[in-house]
Amino acid sequence: MKIEKIKVEKIKDLTKRIKGPREAIFVAIAAVFLLSLIIYLAKTPMVRYTFRFQSVDSGRNNIEWRFLPGRRGAQKAALYVDELLLGPKTERSRPIFSPGTKADFCFERGRTLYVNLTPELLEKSGNASEIMEGMEIFKMNIKRTFPKYKEVEIYIDKRGILKN
């Protein structure tokens, strides 16, 4: 009986000694994790955006989500337009316009967004959407992502082609 009591008391003493360092290690790991998370979030503010591309199979819209750096004002829309023109990341979606199409300028005035696209848009190549379908998808993406824009005016090589 006395041997069992001694063993039980030794085990209790042992757990008391280990309990302190375990808590300290746990707190230290949690503190390092929180500190690194705060630094990461403060350093790279990322915003989640939705992109819609036409499906190769059904013609319906496929949705992709991407994280882009946080910007303000028209810079935010210009960054979104550039990413939209790069095309989809999935294989079963069509790019909106022909490969190589870029935005020469993108700015806002009031509730209108003005976008000038390069002439590569007119060259139907690859499995890109038809030009007019692409224009509609392009406008839909911008208007749904940035509801403050009531009109989107698209220019090709500085010539206005599509309003609203």
Side-chain angles (χ1 to χ4, degrees):
M1 288 289 207
K2 288 186 179 183
I3 296 175
E4 289 178 13
K5 284 184 181 180
I6 293 172
K7 286 183 183 178
V8 171
E9 289 176 10
K10 284 185 179 181
I11 292 173
K12 286 181 180 178
D13 289 341
L14 185 61
T15 57
K16 285 181 183 177
R17 280 190 229 148
I18 295 175
K19 187 177 180 183
R22 280 187 183 169
E23 288 177 354
I25 291 172
F26 177 73
V27 169
I29 290 172
V32 168
F33 174 75
L34 286 175
L35 182 64
S36 64
L37 181 65
I38 290 169
I39 290 171
Y40 172 76
L41 292 176
K43 202 171 206 179
T44 56
M46 302 296 274
V47 179
R48 180 179 163 189
Y49 289 101
T50 303
F51 294 86
R52 291 166 183 84
F53 297 100
Q54 190 177 30
S55 171
V56 173
D57 303 322
S58 65
R60 296 185 316 171
N61 289 339
N62 291 339
I63 296 177
E64 290 183 11
W65 293 279
R66 298 183 194 171
F67 288 93
L68 301 177
R71 299 281 191 261
R72 293 180 185 222
Q75 290 179 345
K76 183 172 30 175
L79 184 64
Y80 181 83
V81 166
D82 289 341
E83 192 72 20
L84 186 61
L85 292 174
L86 285 176
K89 290 186 177 183
T90 58
E91 294 178 13
R92 303 308 303 164
S93 296
R94 295 177 187 211
I96 294 176
F97 300 121
S98 300
T101 303
K102 293 181 176 51
D104 281 339
F105 64 77
C106 179
F107 68 92
E108 66 181 28
R109 181 168 293 144
R111 304 190 104 195
T112 304
L113 183 70
Y114 299 90
V115 181
N116 184 49
L117 301 174
T118 57
E120 285 86 2
L121 174 136
L122 299 174
E123 300 169 11
K124 175 81 171 83
S125 63
N127 66 341
S129 300
E130 294 296 324
I131 294 173
M132 292 311 289
E133 284 179 344
M135 296 282 187
E136 293 301 318
I137 294 170
F138 184 78
K139 290 187 324 180
M140 177 192 60
N141 271 296
I142 292 173
K143 286 183 175 182
R144 286 192 179 174
T145 304
F146 305 104
K148 74 176 188 175
Y149 298 126
K150 297 301 177 195
E151 291 184 41
V152 177
E153 290 193 23
I154 300 174
Y155 295 83
I156 296 178
D157 204 23
K158 299 180 184 170
R159 292 186 185 101
I161 59 154
L162 193 61
K163 294 183 181 183
N164 193 23

